[in-house]
Amino acid sequence: MFLIPKAAACAVLTMTGLCAAMPAWAWPDHPIELIVGFAPGGGTDLTARSLAVFLEKELGTTVVVQNKPGASSAIALSYVARAKPDGYTLAMTNMPGLVSLPIERKAGFTPDDFTYLANLVRDPSAFSVASNSPYQTLDALIAAAKEKPGTISYGSTGVGTDDHLALVLFQSLTGTRLNHVPYNGAGPLRSAVLGGHTVIGGLNLGEVMPYHGKNMRVLAQASDKRSALGPDVPTFKELGVDLVFASERGIVAPKGLPPEVADTLRKALGKVAANPDFQTQMKQQFTEMDYVDGPQWQARLKGDDARLRQIWARTPWVE
């Protein structure tokens, strides 16, 4: 799109009285960065790359996905929190990391550093093993973990992520202790499980279902009820462990985003979420739709913050 000098436009529109309402620029007029805090190949990355294609059509500009993995996505979120609030730098976030990271450490950002645009999807946490693992059921895993505390490795996509917090809650509920091993993303973690370097993969359902029944086995999903996208995978609750947890993925911008830009982005994201083709892609990625507009999403996150602070008070997940 082309910049429209306001002075020139006003010269034309003076007689109509429309000059005062004329915006100073046409947004967007150059590519938008969509930052992902994990390595390529994981659920967050795949969602972001699908979103970028649809968002380009709605906004009329290029949306470039940039991976900035590390520190459980704190590096990426800190980068976006410090970016200029002009709508050209966005982040695909994850709950709980968006909330949990500032609870456990000096993360370089707080939840108040962002403009909340929309949550798009949710992806239940799950425990998975290689298909040839000696632990073919959750009961077998629990029994072995009690017999050999701290010796069975459990990989997550980072400290404070949903994968890690699912482990913290699981250990508290079952009286077990696993050996936590953090990775920079689902792709490296999945490779570690398949390569026999890590026994259990704390992977979201969407990240492991394409491999389920082939070279991996999902022991349980942390949904309240079986996801339609993984109907043959039992829930933890069915197996006697009251564990419900998920990765919720949405889009934020730096705090101070101009209202007209925020409104344009929110409307575009709403249209993408309602697009049947986008919904089909999410289904193909075994990811559940969970669209929530920015203000309502921010209010929900405040409740999540209170819940995670209660967990932290009972069971700090960082020593």
Side-chain angles (χ1 to χ4, degrees), residues 137-201:
T137 66
L138 190 67
D139 283 344
L141 169 63
I142 293 172
K146 288 182 175 179
E147 182 181 344
K148 301 176 289 185
T151 63
I152 299 174
S153 56
Y154 173 97
S156 79
T157 53
V159 175
T161 61
D162 70 290
D163 313 311
H164 181 210
L165 293 183
L167 168 65
V168 171
L169 294 172
F170 174 80
Q171 291 179 142
S172 177
L173 291 165
T174 59
T176 57
R177 182 164 57 88
L178 301 173
N179 177 29
H180 178 226
V181 184
Y183 290 82
N184 277 340
L189 171 54
R190 190 166 49 237
S191 296
V193 173
L194 290 173
H197 307 295
T198 297
V199 176
I200 306 161

Side-chain angles (χ1 to χ4, degrees), residues 123-127 162-163 166 203-205 220-223 236 245-247:
D123 197 356
S125 305
F127 282 18
D162 70 290
D163 313 311
L203 294 158
N204 294 114
L205 194 64
Q221 58 175 299
S223 303
F236 281 92
F245 219 81
S247 168

Side-chain angles (χ1 to χ4, degrees), residues 9-270:
C10 283
V12 177
L13 297 174
T14 296
M15 298 302 294
T16 68
L18 296 177
C19 181
M22 183 73 182
W25 70 95
W27 186 94
D29 66 353
H30 60 269
I32 294 170
E33 273 192 319
L34 179 56
I35 307 301
V36 174
F38 300 96
T44 305
D45 177 71
L46 293 174
T47 300
R49 292 182 186 278
S50 293
L51 172 66
V53 174
F54 287 86
L55 202 54
E56 286 180 345
K57 295 175 182 177
E58 294 296 336
L59 297 176
T61 194
T62 303
V63 178
V64 182
V65 175
Q66 298 281 3
N67 297 86
K68 292 185 180 293
S72 307
S73 79
I75 291 173
L77 291 174
S78 298
Y79 173 85
V80 174
R82 295 191 302 267
K84 186 177 179 180
D86 56 9
Y88 292 106
T89 306
L90 310 176
M92 171 148 279
T93 69
N94 292 74
M95 207 305 288
L98 178 61
V99 175
S100 66
L101 296 177
I103 293 175
E104 71 188 37
R105 68 179 89 164
K106 292 182 179 179
F109 70 91
T110 73
D112 294 330
D113 289 334
F114 301 105
T115 299
Y116 292 84
L117 300 174
N119 190 72
L120 294 171
V121 300
R122 69 186 302 276
D123 197 356
S125 305
F127 282 18
S128 302
V129 296
S131 57
N132 60 353
S133 170
Y135 312 115
Q136 292 291 302
T137 66
L138 190 67
D139 283 344
L141 169 63
I142 293 172
K146 288 182 175 179
E147 182 181 344
K148 301 176 289 185
T151 63
I152 299 174
S153 56
Y154 173 97
S156 79
T157 53
V159 175
T161 61
D162 70 290
D163 313 311
H164 181 210
L165 293 183
L167 168 65
V168 171
L169 294 172
F170 174 80
Q171 291 179 142
S172 177
L173 291 165
T174 59
T176 57
R177 182 164 57 88
L178 301 173
N179 177 29
H180 178 226
V181 184
Y183 290 82
N184 277 340
L189 171 54
R190 190 166 49 237
S191 296
V193 173
L194 290 173
H197 307 295
T198 297
V199 176
I200 306 161
L203 294 158
N204 294 114
L205 194 64
E207 294 168 336
V208 73
M209 280 303 294
Y211 307 88
H212 177 59
K214 299 173 185 176
N215 50 12
M216 296 190 74
R217 177 179 177 84
V218 187
L219 300 182
Q221 58 175 299
S223 303
D224 187 55
K225 59 182 180 180
R226 293 193 187 197
S227 168
L229 304 178
D232 64 332
V233 178
T235 66
F236 281 92
K237 291 178 71 172
E238 288 177 58
L239 302 174
V241 181
D242 191 14
L243 174 59
V244 178
F245 219 81
S247 168
E248 297 168 1
R249 300 174 190 145
I251 303 296
V252 299
K255 183 178 181 180
L257 193 66
E260 62 272 20
V261 175
D263 185 58
T264 298
L265 283 165
R266 286 181 178 132
K267 287 179 178 177
L269 289 166

